[in-house]
């Protein structure tokens, strides 16, 4: 039975992007989800009605800005405006998945920095704090002038691999040079070495040549990334690891975007299991046998309680995540 949370001024609301996750978070915190309705006018405009008082409350809104990205983002902005006008004390946005995060810099001339635009929109609408999970680029925290609590998925993924016995004799693989920091974080939890896939394209329209930096022969290889989108990089990398003598290949990520040909590619690949979190709601057609989900709900729930009680969030980063054993 869920323990009831004592602070009556804490309220959690769920919008449409990932209600199952929001329900789990509310259960772990020990509160009921707040009552609201999200409707559409006949022309597609979003209408939100908060069906209980939030005056003087610390409100947490759960919304991943995953596909349909623009609808989910607009829902969130409208909800924040409604809360501000209803005199909520603080408006805290929990974004398990931050859409537009890959547009975090100008890679070419005349390109927007859309991740910064989203940050501006959230701040200007009246958000007091953002709780995010595994942002694609750490510098997105600096796009905000309000507190951003940046949670890590690595402890949750590590707990799964340890529990399933995969961590024994494992090597953590970064699929590219940019992901080394993420791979090292998981490797520290698993007490494993790391290896890197070095991808090079000799010239335009010529297939990538992959070199493995590190020893993978006869090892269980765990590839880690922040997200799997079309699954091209991860499946090519898995084949390169098998070709280099890996015993088994596992893939893991926090955000299962899985767009376009991703499911077909993963199904046909030599990857044994794809371990993901529920930061993005996974529809039934994407729930293939290879995909295993771990829930971020206990992690986010603990973060919400710590923030609400003015306690540090840093203990959530220090060890394999087990809610009951976290230091105070």
């Amino acid at each position: 039975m869920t323990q009831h949370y004592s602070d009556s001024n804490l309220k959690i609301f769920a919008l449409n992007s990932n209600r199952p996750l929001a329900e789990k978070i509310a259960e772990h915190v020990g509160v009921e989800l707040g009552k609201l309705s999200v409707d559409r006018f006949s022309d597609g405009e979003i209408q939100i009605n908060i069906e209980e008082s939030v005056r003087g409350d610390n409100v947490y809104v759960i919304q991943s800005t995953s596909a349909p990205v623009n609808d989910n983002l607009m829902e969130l902005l409208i909800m924040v405006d409604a809360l501000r006008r209803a005199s909520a004390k603080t408006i805290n946005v929990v974004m398990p998945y931050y859409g537009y995060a890959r547009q975090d810099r100008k890679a070419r001339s005349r390109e927007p920095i859309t991740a910064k635009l989203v940050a501006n929109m959230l701040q200007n609408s009246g958000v007091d704090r953002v709780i995010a999970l595994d942002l694609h680029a750490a510098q997105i925290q600096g796009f905000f002038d309000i507190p951003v609590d940046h949670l890590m998925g690595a402890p949750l993924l590590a707990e799964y691999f340890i529990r399933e016995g995969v961590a024994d004799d494992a090597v953590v693989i970064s699929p590219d040079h940019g992901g080394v920091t993420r791979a090292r974080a998981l490797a520290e939890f698993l007490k494993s070495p790391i290896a890197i896939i070095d991808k090079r394209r000799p010239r335009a329209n010529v297939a990538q040549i992959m070199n493995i930096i590190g020893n993978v022969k006869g090892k269980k290889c765990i590839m880690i990334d922040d997200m799997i989108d079309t699954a091209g990089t991860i499946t090519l990398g898995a084949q390169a690891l098998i070709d280099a003598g890996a015993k088994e290949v596992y893939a893991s990520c926090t955000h299962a975007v899985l767009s376009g040909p991703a499911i077909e590619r993963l199904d046909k690949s030599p990857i044994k299991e794809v371990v993901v979190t529920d930061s993005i709601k996974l529809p039934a057609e994407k729930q293939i046998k290879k995909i295993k989900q771990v829930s971020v709900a206990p992690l986010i729930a603990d973060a919400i309680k710590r923030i609400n009680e003015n306690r540090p969030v840093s203990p959530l980063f220090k060890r394999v995540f087990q809610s009951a054993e976290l230091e105070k």
Side-chain angles (χ1 to χ4, degrees):
M1 188 174 174
T2 306
Q3 189 175 358
H4 186 69
Y5 190 64
S6 57
D7 187 350
S8 61
N9 288 329
L10 181 148
K11 289 189 176 171
I12 298 176
F13 287 89
L15 296 175
N16 283 335
S17 72
N18 199 341
R19 191 172 175 89
L21 174 60
E23 287 169 354
K24 288 181 198 169
I25 292 169
E27 187 180 342
H28 279 282
V29 172
V31 298
E32 296 285 329
L33 278 178
K35 296 181 179 67
L36 83 159
S37 61
V38 184
D39 297 313
R40 296 264 176 169
F41 290 107
S42 58
D43 64 353
E45 288 181 2
I46 297 164
Q47 182 193 31
I48 289 178
N49 184 38
I50 301 167
E51 295 173 351
E52 60 183 84
S53 174
V54 293
R55 186 178 295 273
D57 291 332
N58 296 312
V59 178
Y60 293 79
V61 182
I62 317 292
Q63 180 81 327
S64 281
T65 49
S66 49
V69 183
N70 299 334
D71 286 2
N72 287 333
L73 180 58
M74 199 64 204
E75 255 185 34
L76 179 57
L77 293 169
I78 293 169
M79 178 66 177
V80 170
D81 187 70
L83 289 167
R84 184 170 54 82
R85 294 174 190 279
S87 302
K89 183 180 179 184
T90 63
I91 302 168
N92 307 275
V93 168
V94 181
M95 299 178 80
Y97 175 72
Y98 186 105
Y100 288 109
R102 283 173 282 186
Q103 297 184 44
D104 62 311
R105 66 197 187 283
K106 280 187 73 170
R108 292 188 297 272
S109 300
R110 298 175 296 281
E111 243 188 0
I113 304 177
T114 318
K116 168 63 174 161
L117 173 64
V118 170
N120 290 347
M121 290 163 73
L122 288 167
Q123 275 186 202
N124 293 338
S125 65
V127 173
D128 295 296
R129 176 186 294 270
V130 171
I131 302 165
L133 178 69
D134 272 335
L135 291 167
H136 181 68
Q139 69 262 24
I140 291 172
Q141 285 178 281
F143 292 175
F144 291 88
D145 293 322
I146 55 175
V148 176
D149 292 291
H150 187 198
L151 305 177
M152 290 169 53
L156 296 162
L157 299 169
E159 198 273 333
Y160 175 87
F161 287 121
I162 292 168
R163 190 178 69 239
E164 297 298 315
V166 179
D168 304 328
D169 202 28
V171 179
V172 177
I173 312 292
S174 174
D176 51 40
H177 292 276
V180 171
T181 304
R182 192 176 294 108
R184 200 177 298 283
L186 180 61
E188 283 176 8
F189 286 118
L190 299 180
K191 298 178 173 57
S192 301
I194 72 167
I196 304 163
I197 296 175
D198 178 36
K199 292 180 296 188
R200 296 187 185 178
R201 196 181 292 274
R203 58 183 185 275
N205 301 319
V206 175
Q208 288 177 335
I209 298 168
M210 294 198 175
N211 298 308
I212 314 293
I213 304 170
N215 179 30
V216 300
K217 193 168 185 180
K219 303 282 188 181
K220 296 174 188 170
C221 292
I222 302 171
M223 301 178 76
I224 175 79
D225 215 338
D226 64 316
M227 68 177 76
I228 298 175
D229 189 355
T230 60
T233 299
I234 214 97
T235 51
L236 284 171
Q239 189 58 57
L241 291 167
I242 292 292
D243 293 343
K247 182 180 172 186
E248 293 174 343
V249 178
Y250 296 80
S252 61
C253 75
T254 304
H255 309 301
V257 179
L258 303 179
S259 62
I263 294 298
E264 186 184 354
R265 282 175 173 172
L266 291 171
D267 213 19
K268 291 178 178 177
S269 76
I271 297 169
K272 187 171 181 181
E273 279 184 0
V274 183
V275 184
V276 303
T277 79
D278 56 354
S279 66
I280 296 173
K281 185 180 175 183
L282 208 60
E285 65 270 16
K286 293 183 180 179
Q287 293 177 17
I288 58 173
K289 284 184 180 179
K290 276 189 183 181
I291 294 179
K292 312 292 180 188
Q293 269 194 310
V294 296
S295 183
V296 296
L299 174 65
I300 292 174
D302 256 22
I304 288 172
K305 285 195 282 189
R306 285 170 176 274
I307 291 162
N308 199 59
E309 294 161 9
N310 294 313
R311 291 191 293 140
V313 176
S314 55
L316 301 178
F317 303 100
K318 291 181 180 175
R319 63 178 74 169
V320 172
F321 187 79
Q322 291 178 330
S323 183
E325 294 181 8
L326 284 169
E327 61 195 61
K328 301 294 181 191

